[in-house]
Amino acid sequence: MLFLMFIAGLDLDQQQFRRTRHKSLLFGFLTYTIPFATGLPVCYYILDYNLITSLMVSNMFATHTMVSYPVVSRLGLTRNEAVAVATGGTIITDTLVLFVLAVITGTVTDGSGPGLYLMLVLSFIVFLLFMAYVIMPVSRWAFRRLEDDNYSQFVYAAFVVFICAILAMAAGLEPIIGAFAAGFMLNRLIPSDSILRNRIDFTGNALFIPFFLVSVGMIVDLRVILSGPTAIIVAVVLTAVALAGKFLASEIASRFIGFTRDQRRLLFGLTSSHAAAILAVIMVGFRIGIVDETIINGTVFLILITCLVSSVVTESAGRKIALA
């Protein structure tokens, strides 16, 4: 799970975010708040979850993973403004999701109160400052010294991931926040076309991510699905709310920005899929006892459907934009 979030941080395009930062900030805010605000009453009143579980699942709705990004890359649309806004929005959304996750887990494990929230905010700020003014300069120096030694660079990158995860735990945050921050900080030091990045992707895709998915699959209980209609209803509701929230966010943001109809569809297609981030968030909730097997099963169904919808919509909208 740590390596998965590290790769998610590496995948974010910071240059695109800087070019469209104002539009990305607007979309990132909307694509977090609308799914969260849509999911909270559904979970609390319709699915009858308690408040903490409702907050965790609603936070899960706000995540997205740009699974269909290779489609726009293949079509030569990576410089399209809608793609840049989707990429920048992902940075904002993932940051908000992980911060809210830290607040929820802190409330469950340490209790609630103004002192707790103040400590979480302060520890989060200290953690970010340490990453920016200690980890980043040291990493820049290390990569210069190890420029001709790709094996040592890989070992150092893995070392940074686990050190940041430990520092996040020491700050009262979840380890996946540290791993994501490590990927975000090393993003500019590890080019996407470098040998080191190729080795990181290979190691993650061939080793760590499959083992993580196996661990998720072992938690899925088919008896829960076969025991009655409840699990199926939960899965359908979760999927419908996740897609509706992302659709509304894309439509509202696109109209403010002035996107065309195909760009609106492209924005929705890129940000409607849930995969890596949602698995990481839901596994944290399962580990601390906030969510149960029914939600885990529903999340797996949600991932399957949203990735399918994302691919189809992105391919359709992308082809029309490319032809135009």
Side-chain angles (χ1 to χ4, degrees):
M1 187 158 58
L2 294 179
F3 220 78
L4 184 147
M5 293 305 294
F6 174 60
I7 292 176
L10 286 178
D11 282 337
L12 298 176
D13 193 331
Q14 296 182 23
Q15 289 184 345
Q16 282 188 327
F17 175 70
R18 283 193 291 271
R19 286 197 298 268
T20 60
R21 57 185 178 276
H22 300 300
K23 296 175 182 178
S24 295
L25 284 170
L26 171 65
F27 176 65
F29 175 76
L30 291 175
T31 200
Y32 177 84
T33 54
I34 291 177
F36 186 89
T38 304
L40 186 58
V42 171
C43 293
Y44 190 73
Y45 292 108
I46 297 178
L47 298 180
D48 199 27
Y49 294 143
N50 60 47
L51 182 59
I52 292 295
T53 302
S54 299
L55 289 170
M56 175 64 82
V57 177
S58 301
N59 193 47
M60 176 188 83
F61 289 141
T63 68
H64 65 256
T65 303
M66 293 175 63
V67 171
S68 55
Y69 186 84
V71 174
V72 296
S73 179
R74 173 168 50 83
L75 294 173
L77 299 176
T78 54
R79 294 187 177 274
N80 188 280
E81 192 175 23
V83 179
V85 169
T87 305
T90 303
I91 298 175
I92 305 301
T93 302
D94 286 349
T95 302
L96 289 172
V97 165
L98 293 176
F99 180 75
V100 173
L101 176 66
V103 173
I104 294 173
T105 53
T107 302
V108 172
T109 56
D110 300 324
S112 60
L116 169 68
Y117 301 133
L118 180 61
M119 284 301 298
L120 277 174
V121 172
L122 290 176
S123 62
F124 190 70
I125 293 173
V126 171
F127 172 74
L128 291 179
L129 290 175
F130 186 84
M131 291 290 298
Y133 293 104
V134 178
I135 297 294
M136 191 65 184
V138 171
S139 297
R140 192 178 292 113
W141 173 82
F143 278 113
R144 280 201 303 266
R145 291 293 300 271
L146 303 172
E147 186 175 1
D148 298 326
D149 190 348
N150 291 309
Y151 294 104
S152 297
Q153 285 184 340
F154 178 84
V155 172
Y156 176 78
F159 172 76
V160 169
V161 174
F162 294 113
I163 285 295
C164 292
I166 293 171
L167 291 174
M169 290 179 64
L173 308 172
E174 281 297 317
I176 61 173
I177 297 176
F180 178 80
F184 188 78
M185 289 294 176
L186 297 183
N187 188 296
R188 286 176 291 176
L189 302 178
I190 306 177
S192 58
D193 56 350
S194 64
I195 297 175
L196 175 59
R197 180 58 191 274
N198 180 269
R199 286 176 175 157
I200 290 173
D201 287 341
F202 175 80
T203 304
N205 294 325
L207 183 62
F208 290 106
I209 294 177
F211 273 103
F212 172 67
L213 295 175
V214 168
S215 68
V216 174
M218 292 176 69
I219 295 172
V220 173
D221 190 350
L222 294 177
R223 290 174 298 180
V224 175
I225 300 176
L226 301 175
S227 62
T230 303
I232 297 175
I233 293 172
V234 169
V236 172
V237 171
L238 292 181
T239 304
V241 172
L243 288 173
K246 290 299 181 181
F247 177 78
L248 286 173
S250 300
E251 284 290 314
I252 294 172
S254 295
R255 293 185 186 280
F256 274 110
I257 296 171
F259 282 163
T260 65
R261 179 175 178 273
D262 289 328
Q263 283 181 311
R264 293 200 302 269
R265 292 177 60 226
L266 184 64
L267 187 63
F268 167 66
L270 286 170
T271 58
S272 59
S273 54
H274 296 69
I278 196 173
L279 280 174
V281 170
I282 209 66
M283 288 303 293
V284 171
F286 183 79
R287 179 174 57 81
I288 62 178
I290 297 178
V291 302
D292 57 15
E293 290 89 348
T294 302
I295 298 177
I296 293 287
N297 290 340
T299 302
V300 173
F301 179 80
L302 182 155
I303 291 170
L304 175 64
I305 299 301
T306 57
C307 287
L308 178 63
V309 170
S310 172
S311 299
V312 171
V313 173
T314 303
E315 181 78 32
S316 174
R319 283 185 177 278
K320 289 184 178 181
I321 293 174
L323 288 172

